[in-house]
Amino acid sequence: MEAVVFPGQGAQARGMGRELFDAFPELTERASGVLGYSVRELCAEDPRRLLRSTEYTQPALFVVGTLAHLKWQEETGRSAAYFAGHSVGEYCALHAAGAFGFETGLRLVQRRGALMSQAEGGGMAAVLGLDTWELTQLLGQNGFGGLTLANDNAPAQQVISGAADDIGAVEAFLNQRGVRCVRLNVSGAFHSPLMRPAQEAFGEYVRGFSLGDPATPVISNVTARAYPRGGTADLLVRQISSPVRWAESVRHLLDLGVGEFTELGGSVVAKLIRQIRDAHRPAPPPSLAPPPASSVRPSGALAPPAARATSATDTAVGTETPATAAAAPASRPAPEVPVTGAGTLGSAVFRRRLGLQYSYAAGGMYRGIASPAMVVRLARGGMLGFLGTGGLPLAAVEENIAQVRRELRAGEPFGVNFLADHDDPAAERRFAEMLLRNGVDVVEAAAFIQMTPALVLYRARGMRRAPDGTPECGHRVLAKVSRPEVARAFMAPPPEKAVAELLREGAITEEQAGLVRQVPMSHDITVEADSGGHTDGGISTVMLPAMLGLRREAQRTHGYREPLCMGLAGGLGTPEAVAAAFMLGADYVLTGSVNQCTVESGTSDAVKDMLQQIDIQDTGYAPAGDMFEMGARVQVLRKGVFFPTRADKLYSLYQHYDGLHELPAKTRALLERSYFHRTLDEVWTEVCDHYRAKGEPDVTEKAERQPKSKMALVFRWYFAYSARLALTGQTGDRVNFQVHTGPALGAFNQWVKGTACESWRARHADAIGLMLLEGAAEHVAAAFESWGETSRFTAAPIRTVAAGT
């Protein structure tokens, strides 16, 4: 396979493009008309020596790269399997892949160059002879943690970016130590947080364009992965202040099977590609010995990775492999820990076994709010999304699974939410069989309080024997828990009674039964603190450390070959919160509420308009419709709606009266007028029709003989009705909207206030994930740096959201 690549700033030279301008005179004139000056004169002659100025360099490179691609197509008749571009070269790649037209691309690049040229007070320097690990270590240890690793160009060629004074100081520092450091002739600190003013202004400009998706995959500088559907504008804006992950991008293309690279518009990146190709793959940072026992914090703390694993599978903040948690000599010093970006947070074990780039998942919100579009977007961004299934018919879930499969490439990960059905075990079993029928490999097990036969069936049917005879898990269960006894059950092998029963009925084989007895029900346990929707209101700083202790106990008791991972969910709406999760010892994070207010969310625009305005105090608790009689509660939106108050009123009436016939006339009239918008008799008729359609007429027939049960079914109707109003956006009855959400969304809203992401129409689930992770990585690095010599940790310079010169 062939990849076509384009160079970035630094590839410009007087005389470039002469033959191209002659070959394409019409496009050359169009370009000059857009720019307001002769692009031919600028590139071929440069009489005023403007070509090296950013505002002129970038449009010139775009025009030459674009014309070079046209010439290549004409001469060879070939088409690329993949495109990539270094920084501004990415615009050439996107144009070549059909994401936007020539003039649109040129206008974008012209504006980008103008904004970036206005940056002041910053600089950049190329560092030769060190890899990223060595450079970040050297800088972090010597007080240069404020600099950004802006371009990872090749194994021994990096570019750093930051304040001009810091660049000058680090240039002298490195040169004195025999490390070649060359200051670059640029106007600003490109690919660093100092470019955020330019990024925000460019974001406003981009809003005026309608950008499409590339028809051929284009590898993004920001993610080192292909552009996801609908992600063109977002990634181009973020590219301005994010590092250029060029070496990683090339390695990814090599992994995809690319055997030939063709550079158009220059010869700079071809040399880098040869260096990357010829070099050995970078190994994980050297194995770090655990610190003295006295300095190892409890597993919830931010301990060095070697204190948590037997091999270098985890970097920065992440998994403790319990079997080796305290195995090192007490005399070894505490190691320095690099934090190099979003991809290093959490557990490499978790990422590897689920096929992820990031230790990040998004939970399955009910009634399809976690939509196929959301799951696909997350998968293409290297994250794990779970389809929302609660409240959907089985046929609708199957269609959503099919839609996801149609849109994803082979190997891209996704999961499906598997909800416990306490009222109908048969329905739960049908759901498990549907998952098996559709080849679903990963599920999010939610609301389980015990290991049911249906869940055991799903787990067991995925078991197979590895070549070495050990159990291999083909079905992954990511469990959500908020109680210790449930966590213990998931971390133990399945109940023998359930395994034996499935074996007796022929649902699983003898081999599957034997293998599933050797593994836990779930290798990945998500501790769910206070969250939107169903919640026990737990506190993460209390729950996670305690659950990590249970994990150590389970690993020690059962001696599992494959380590257990533990994630955290609930309250994750800002980088600081995500950083805190990893610093507590989480191997991954799982978000919920923040994804509800995105373009991909399956709820209505009316709800999203309301949610993007809430603050942290704008949620409250209300009775749960699906467990109404039990008094279970959910966290919901309370700003601008009456639902929480009205739901509480219904539960109060249920507690005080034994049937609808006992309700006072005024109360009944109020319910019919303001809550139900129909008579209670009409509601009951709808309830009966619903259960007849489900093939369960006995439910209402029994309730006719039990007034209390009939009252509960009528009141439950309100919860279904209020959820349906919100999902469909019927603004005529907005006050009755039932919207499950938590205060994390309010925190996120405040974090992005005043940016392009203030509007939900600019929010995408994968972009939110990356923003949170990159911000968390920066926060962790800052924490290491502030601890300094006291803790003997070193922070490597890393940056948040964005990329590209």
Side-chain angles (χ1 to χ4, degrees):
M1 286 192 293
E2 183 176 14
V4 167
V5 297
F6 300 88
Q9 210 159 328
Q12 70 274 13
R14 187 170 63 178
M16 68 179 189
R18 287 182 190 276
E19 73 286 356
L20 296 171
F21 299 132
D22 292 337
F24 300 99
E26 185 179 335
L27 274 178
T28 302
E29 287 306 310
R30 282 171 58 191
S32 298
V34 170
L35 296 172
Y37 54 81
S38 171
V39 70
R40 180 195 297 268
E41 180 184 80
L42 171 70
C43 295
E45 303 169 17
D46 193 20
R48 292 180 290 166
R49 297 185 177 276
L50 296 175
L51 189 55
R52 58 183 161 184
S53 300
T54 297
E55 65 267 44
Y56 293 95
T57 305
Q58 295 191 14
L61 288 171
F62 176 78
V63 173
V64 170
T66 298
L67 298 184
H69 178 248
L70 291 174
K71 185 75 170 174
W72 174 78
Q73 283 185 313
E74 284 186 359
E75 291 179 346
T76 67
R78 300 202 304 267
S79 57
Y82 296 93
F83 289 102
H86 190 285
S87 196
V88 72
E90 196 165 293
Y91 286 76
C92 298
L94 286 164
H95 169 68
F100 44 70
F102 177 69
E103 291 189 11
T104 293
L106 185 55
R107 291 183 193 280
L108 291 172
V109 171
Q110 183 182 33
R111 181 61 173 164
R112 180 183 190 268
L115 289 169
M116 293 177 71
S117 71
Q118 295 166 13
E120 297 179 349
M124 303 179 77
V127 181
L128 306 178
L130 297 179
D131 63 22
T132 55
W133 164 257
E134 294 167 327
L135 179 59
T136 53
Q137 283 288 92
L138 188 61
L139 296 178
Q141 290 169 11
N142 292 280
F144 295 105
L147 294 174
T148 299
L149 183 59
N151 295 8
D152 176 13
N153 285 336
Q157 186 188 127
Q158 320 301 326
V159 176
I160 53 177
S161 186
D165 290 346
D166 290 343
I167 291 293
V170 81
E171 181 184 14
F173 169 81
L174 291 174
N175 286 329
Q176 286 170 8
R177 283 153 181 78
V179 178
R180 190 178 176 198
C181 180
V182 181
R183 192 157 185 169
L184 303 181
N185 184 20
V186 294
S187 60
F190 302 154
H191 306 302
S192 82
L194 294 178
M195 296 305 298
R196 284 185 183 147
Q199 176 184 316
E200 290 176 6
F202 187 63
E204 290 294 323
Y205 184 72
V206 169
R207 287 185 184 182
F209 295 85
S210 179
L211 306 184
D213 297 318
T216 301
V218 176
I219 306 302
S220 164
N221 288 179
V222 179
T223 64
R225 293 295 184 271
Y227 268 74
R229 183 170 299 183
T232 303
D234 176 64
L235 283 174
L236 285 181
V237 172
R238 291 166 53 199
Q239 195 216 45
I240 289 179
S241 68
S242 289
V244 175
R245 296 161 64 177
W246 185 251
E248 188 180 345
S249 298
V250 172
R251 293 187 193 106
H252 181 55
L253 286 168
L254 291 170
D255 288 341
L256 291 169
V258 171
E260 182 179 355
F261 291 82
T262 298
E263 180 176 3
L264 301 175
S267 59
V268 176
V269 295
K271 298 173 184 175
L272 299 177
I273 291 170
R274 281 196 293 274
Q275 294 174 34
I276 297 164
R277 200 172 201 166
D278 294 343
H280 290 294
R281 285 295 179 98
S287 293
L288 304 173
S294 61
S295 68
V296 178
R297 299 181 177 92
S299 64
L302 182 55
R308 305 179 178 194
T310 53
S311 61
T313 55
D314 298 299
T315 55
V317 187
T319 295
E320 173 189 6
T321 302
T324 60
S331 60
R332 298 295 292 272
E336 295 170 347
V337 178
V339 178
T340 54
T344 66
L345 291 173
S347 167
V349 171
F350 175 79
R351 295 192 295 273
R352 185 167 55 250
R353 70 181 169 209
L354 290 168
L356 306 176
Q357 184 180 353
Y358 301 103
S359 300
Y360 184 95
M365 293 174 285
Y366 83 137
R367 291 181 182 263
I369 293 174
S371 65
M374 182 179 294
V375 170
V376 168
R377 181 117 190 178
L378 288 161
R380 290 181 175 171
M383 306 170 200
L384 180 61
F386 289 98
L387 272 172
T389 61
L392 294 181
L394 211 58
V397 176
E398 285 199 85
E399 174 51 37
N400 285 348
I401 293 172
Q403 182 180 338
V404 170
R405 288 200 184 283
R406 285 194 298 269
E407 296 188 32
L408 287 184
R409 302 182 184 94
E412 289 180 318
F414 79 98
V416 175
N417 182 237
F418 187 174
L419 276 172
D421 194 327
H422 306 293
D423 295 331
D424 192 350
E428 187 178 294
R429 177 67 175 264
R430 288 193 296 272
F431 192 91
E433 290 168 347
M434 180 276 296
L435 294 171
L436 296 170
R437 189 167 61 248
N438 285 276
V440 173
D441 296 331
V442 184
V443 298
E444 176 191 43
F448 284 88
I449 56 177
Q450 59 185 355
M451 303 303 98
T452 64
L455 190 60
V456 174
L457 171 67
Y458 174 80
R459 181 68 159 160
R461 287 276 284 274
M463 299 305 301
R464 51 183 177 256
R465 193 176 299 280
D468 63 358
T470 58
E472 195 170 86
C473 302
H475 291 161
R476 294 290 177 182
V477 176
L478 191 143
K480 289 175 74 172
V481 303
S482 56
R483 303 177 67 86
E485 67 273 16
V486 179
R488 282 195 187 94
F490 272 109
M491 288 189 278
E496 179 56 36
K497 181 179 177 182
V499 175
E501 178 57 36
L502 291 169
L503 189 57
R504 272 195 303 274
E505 66 178 77
I508 60 176
T509 67
E510 288 279 1
E511 182 174 71
Q512 289 167 341
L515 292 172
V516 81
R517 292 181 177 114
Q518 301 176 53
V519 298
M521 278 298 297
S522 174
H523 280 102
D524 304 301
I525 313 294
T526 308
V527 179
E528 187 174 21
D530 189 40
S531 61
H534 285 277
T535 178
D536 285 338
I539 301 169
S540 60
T541 52
V542 173
M543 296 172 67
L544 185 58
M547 297 289 195
L548 287 168
L550 296 181
R551 179 179 73 176
R552 285 194 298 274
E553 176 188 312
Q555 193 83 33
R556 187 167 52 245
T557 300
H558 300 287
Y560 295 129
R561 176 187 175 93
E562 186 178 348
L564 299 167
C565 287
M566 188 157 281
L568 186 64
L572 303 177
T574 61
E576 292 83 355
V578 172
F582 287 118
M583 294 173 86
L584 276 170
D587 295 312
Y588 61 93
V589 292
L590 184 144
T591 57
S593 295
V594 294
N595 305 311
Q596 189 173 11
C597 194
T598 61
V599 173
E600 294 78 32
S601 167
T603 194
S604 65
D605 289 0
V607 165
K608 296 176 192 179
D609 288 340
M610 298 169 74
L611 288 176
Q612 76 179 22
Q613 301 176 40
I614 70 170
D615 209 329
I616 59 174
Q617 74 276 10
D618 292 327
T619 62
Y621 299 91
D626 56 346
M627 292 188 281
F628 178 77
E629 297 93 320
M630 298 165 57
R633 297 178 74 77
V634 290
Q635 189 160 198
V636 295
L637 174 68
R638 69 177 183 179
K639 181 180 181 180
V641 297
F642 295 157
F643 170 78
T645 303
R646 291 179 172 178
D648 279 331
K649 177 68 172 178
L650 290 176
Y651 186 65
S652 175
L653 293 173
Y654 175 76
Q655 288 181 303
H656 284 87
Y657 296 100
D658 289 327
L660 296 173
H661 62 284
E662 291 187 4
L663 292 177
K666 284 187 177 180
T667 299
R668 186 179 182 113
L670 173 66
L671 297 182
E672 293 178 338
R673 181 179 66 253
S674 300
Y675 291 38
F676 299 96
H677 296 295
R678 64 208 72 193
T679 68
L680 297 188
D681 290 338
E682 289 171 334
V683 171
W684 179 242
T685 298
E686 289 189 27
V687 170
C688 292
D689 291 343
H690 168 74
Y691 280 101
R692 272 195 297 271
K694 285 182 65 178
E696 301 174 14
D698 55 311
V699 173
T700 50
E701 289 169 3
K702 181 180 178 181
E704 287 281 16
R705 300 188 296 272
Q706 299 175 351
K708 190 84 167 179
S709 296
K710 180 176 180 179
M711 174 188 276
L713 290 176
V714 168
F715 286 178
R716 276 189 176 211
W717 178 94
Y718 174 73
F719 292 86
Y721 168 71
S722 56
R724 188 167 61 249
L725 287 175
L727 287 167
T728 56
Q730 297 181 34
T731 54
D733 197 10
R734 189 189 299 262
V735 294
N736 277 317
F737 278 11
Q738 179 187 176
V739 181
H740 292 191
T741 193
L745 179 56
F748 180 85
N749 288 342
Q750 297 314 304
W751 178 49
V752 299
K753 197 172 184 65
T755 73
C757 287
E758 183 170 357
S759 167
W760 66 262
R761 290 170 174 83
R763 299 182 190 180
H764 297 280
D766 60 329
I768 285 175
L770 198 56
M771 287 166 63
L772 291 172
L773 288 173
E774 291 185 333
E778 185 174 63
H779 194 73
V780 170
F784 280 139
E785 186 175 358
S786 67
W787 293 345
E789 290 301 316
T790 304
S791 68
R792 304 172 71 179
F793 290 121
T794 299
I798 59 91
R799 294 299 94 180
T800 56
V801 214
T805 310

